[in-house]
Amino acid sequence: MFLRFGIRKCLFPVIRKTARTRVTSASFSRLVTGNVAKVAKTSIPSAVMFGVLGSGFYVGSVLANENTLETLLAEADELYEAMKYEDIYALLSAHKEVKHDEILWRLGRATYEKAKAAKTDDEKKVLYREALDYVEEALAINSENFAVHKWMSILIDYVYGYEGTKARISQSYNVKHHMEKACQLNPTDGTSRYLLGYWYYSIASIPWYQRKIASVVFATPPSGTYEDALEEFLHAEKLEPNFYSKNLLMIGKCYQMLGKKEEAKQYLTRAMDYPAKTLDDKEAVDEATQLLKGM
């Protein structure tokens, strides 16, 4: 909802971070995957390691002893850095019966990327629903995984966005819940704060007719202000300085909406001067440039 509620562009394409917090990949969908806890090599029971289920049959490709869960996830993450989403999908689909949250949310992420690349809305709708199914399964396995909650918030919005404005609005509190849970579980992650800030910004920006729908759907409609949004964006920036071009852009836009022209110019200039290595960066640079021209 926060992604499309009054603001059509999706910001969730998920940024991967290197070393600590530096953004290195191609879209915002790469931002949502940093700081994942290291998985113990013994996480998969030995019976499942060999692909054996109760029936005694093998499922997909077998996780042999030398190919531990940690190794599998590392390979998936390397492929994600290389933006080889079909390869990740094939790799993790072969192991989805292992029923591990770290496998499933990554499989959901890869399916999300496939959905973005799909050519028709019907294809996208099916793939977004498939992606959400994987992440919901991960949530049922481990409700304390912050990356799972991030992807829940992302995919709920995409799935219900195809059901219409009322359906999307109906999920607004659910989306926010998962964002806040991600922040709680990983308070040092700037991306989660950015997402929450964008939720507030989207709520503050929605047109009157969508507010009317929200008042019908909820006894107490979702509320948010530009001040709320700014607080979250600034928090994200404090946690991870200069980590994302669009966070700088959104800080500038919040200041602009609050009538603080000089502060807006400062952050919009930083966004305009941000190295445009990714599509998100290019969009941020272009929008900041246009906003500065109009000030």
Side-chain angles (χ1 to χ4, degrees), residues 31-257:
L31 192 78
V32 182
T33 59
N35 300 332
V36 177
K38 195 172 184 179
V39 180
K41 294 184 179 181
T42 56
S43 295
I44 302 178
S46 57
V48 181
M49 277 280 221
F50 293 105
V52 180
L53 299 184
S55 60
F57 290 100
Y58 287 87
V59 178
S61 123
V62 175
L63 276 176
N65 277 324
E66 65 273 13
N67 189 15
T68 63
L69 177 61
E70 186 177 7
T71 302
L72 176 68
L73 299 182
E75 182 179 354
D77 289 343
E78 286 175 8
L79 289 170
Y80 193 75
E81 288 289 349
M83 295 183 284
K84 296 181 178 179
Y85 307 126
E86 292 285 352
D87 290 347
I88 303 168
Y89 184 84
L91 174 70
L92 297 181
S93 291
H95 300 298
K96 63 185 178 182
E97 297 302 330
V98 171
K99 304 298 184 187
H100 195 288
D101 55 296
E102 292 290 345
I103 292 175
L104 289 166
W105 78 254
R106 283 173 171 83
L107 181 54
R109 177 181 67 177
T111 309
Y112 158 86
E113 295 289 357
K114 281 167 56 71
K116 287 200 306 177
K119 294 182 179 180
T120 69
D121 281 346
D122 286 344
E123 290 178 286
K124 290 177 185 291
K125 183 177 180 180
V126 170
L127 285 167
Y128 284 134
R129 179 68 255 184
E130 180 185 345
L132 180 57
D133 287 344
Y134 291 135
V135 180
E136 286 178 334
E137 194 173 358
L139 182 66
I141 294 167
N142 183 4
S143 62
E144 298 301 304
N145 185 328
F146 94 100
V148 171
H149 285 283
K150 275 187 178 182
W151 282 100
M152 283 294 296
S153 68
I154 296 166
L155 290 165
I156 288 169
D157 179 66
Y158 271 91
V159 168
Y160 285 89
Y162 279 95
E163 303 300 325
T165 300
K166 186 175 180 180
R168 184 182 305 143
I169 291 172
S170 73
Q171 293 297 314
S172 57
Y173 282 122
N174 196 14
V175 169
K176 185 184 181 187
H177 161 73
H178 286 292
M179 289 179 182
E180 291 177 330
K181 186 66 174 178
C183 290
Q184 176 190 336
L185 291 170
N186 190 348
T188 65
D189 180 53
T191 306
S192 298
R193 290 290 169 185
Y194 168 81
L195 299 177
L196 187 54
Y198 202 91
W199 187 92
Y200 281 120
Y201 188 93
S202 298
I203 295 296
S205 303
I206 62 175
W208 66 268
Y209 66 90
Q210 289 191 357
R211 292 185 185 278
K212 191 170 182 179
I213 293 173
S215 68
V216 173
V217 175
F218 298 109
T220 304
S223 62
T225 66
Y226 293 117
E227 288 88 351
D228 294 330
L230 180 60
E231 181 179 353
E232 298 299 338
F233 292 136
L234 289 173
H235 191 167
E237 196 63 24
K238 183 178 180 179
L239 288 171
E240 306 186 38
N242 213 43
F243 76 110
Y244 186 37
S245 56
K246 286 197 172 180
N247 195 61
L248 298 173
L249 173 68
M250 296 310 298
I251 292 173
K253 290 174 71 171
C254 284
Y255 276 129
Q256 185 179 39
M257 296 305 295

Side-chain angles (χ1 to χ4, degrees), residues 3-18:
L3 305 178
R4 300 183 178 184
F5 198 3
I7 298 180
R8 181 62 184 171
K9 280 187 179 179
C10 167
L11 53 112
F12 244 84
V14 183
I15 302 171
R16 173 161 313 281
K17 306 169 194 174
T18 59

Side-chain angles (χ1 to χ4, degrees), residues 237-287:
E237 196 63 24
K238 183 178 180 179
L239 288 171
E240 306 186 38
N242 213 43
F243 76 110
Y244 186 37
S245 56
K246 286 197 172 180
N247 195 61
L248 298 173
L249 173 68
M250 296 310 298
I251 292 173
K253 290 174 71 171
C254 284
Y255 276 129
Q256 185 179 39
M257 296 305 295
L258 294 171
K260 297 185 177 182
K261 188 173 182 179
E262 291 308 312
E263 290 91 339
K265 282 184 177 180
Q266 176 189 343
Y267 280 94
L268 290 174
T269 299
R270 287 178 62 185
M272 181 181 68
D273 294 339
Y274 200 93
K277 297 179 180 179
T278 71
L279 177 59
D280 277 8
D281 295 336
K282 186 179 185 304
E283 290 176 351
V285 168
D286 290 346
E287 185 172 356

